[in-house]
Amino acid sequence: SYGTAPSLFRSKPLNKQKLIKTIIQLVVVILIIFLLSHCPFSFFLGISCPGCGMTRAFLSLLRFDFAQAFYYHPLFPLVIVLVLLYCLYRLHWISLSKKAITIIEAVALFAFFFTYMVRLLLHSPVVAWDFEQSVIAKLFHFLSGLFS
């Protein structure tokens, strides 16, 4: 006889502790994002990070301005899907193999890297270069001034 195929959705009861822990984790991540006044990537390197524009995209989404949201970061829907998958997985409402998780991570990383490179090469106004304002450039200028 053939075995039954594994179900994507599990029929486990709601685990309140896991639900609370997952909500707290999401709130902490959101607070960290909103409390950082400046992108650390840009601060140290002088180049916008691959997620640049994501906060503005979600703020535009809250105003139902989808065109503006896509303008700020075209991958905001991917983030929504990934967060939803993460929550469902952590709550054991869906089952994902390690291989599936690895594939999802690889596709997401590739999508972010590819989008980032396209935005940099096309000189997107959302993604900026300003190496001279970076901490590394300022440190380099400071050290070169000491030895000249």
Side-chain angles (χ1 to χ4, degrees), residues 11-20 91 93:
S11 59
K12 284 193 173 185
L14 178 64
N15 183 333
K16 289 183 183 180
Q17 287 180 330
K18 279 214 180 258
L19 177 63
I20 291 170
L91 294 170
W93 290 355

Side-chain angles (χ1 to χ4, degrees), residues 4-145:
T4 59
S7 173
L8 179 63
F9 290 94
R10 296 183 182 178
S11 59
K12 284 193 173 185
L14 178 64
N15 183 333
K16 289 183 183 180
Q17 287 180 330
K18 279 214 180 258
L19 177 63
I20 291 170
K21 186 176 178 181
T22 301
I23 290 171
I24 289 172
Q25 288 173 340
L26 289 172
V27 168
V28 167
V29 168
I30 290 168
L31 284 175
I32 289 171
I33 290 169
F34 282 110
L35 291 177
L36 290 175
S37 62
H38 195 76
C39 172
F41 199 89
S42 177
F43 180 71
F44 287 106
L45 301 176
I47 304 170
S48 298
C49 72
C52 189
M54 193 63 73
T55 302
R56 291 173 283 172
F58 279 103
L59 291 174
S60 296
L61 185 64
L62 290 174
R63 293 188 306 272
F64 298 102
D65 189 348
F66 298 104
Q68 194 71 20
F70 274 104
Y71 169 77
Y72 284 128
H73 206 296
L75 294 181
F76 78 89
L78 177 62
V79 173
I80 294 169
V81 170
L82 292 175
V83 168
L84 181 63
L85 276 174
Y86 173 77
C87 291
L88 294 173
Y89 177 75
R90 291 279 298 156
L91 294 170
H92 299 288
W93 290 355
I94 63 169
S95 175
L96 296 170
S97 68
K98 289 189 184 267
K99 184 176 180 179
I101 292 171
T102 301
I103 291 170
I104 291 168
E105 290 171 345
V107 168
L109 285 173
F110 176 79
F112 267 88
F113 179 75
F114 181 78
T115 302
Y116 180 60
M117 295 309 296
V118 168
R119 293 168 87 195
L120 284 174
L121 293 172
L122 296 179
H123 302 288
S124 166
V126 177
V127 180
W129 294 70
D130 193 2
F131 183 72
E132 290 301 316
Q133 295 301 315
S134 71
V135 169
I136 292 175
K138 290 177 183 178
L139 181 63
F140 178 75
H141 290 305
F142 173 76
L143 291 175
S144 63

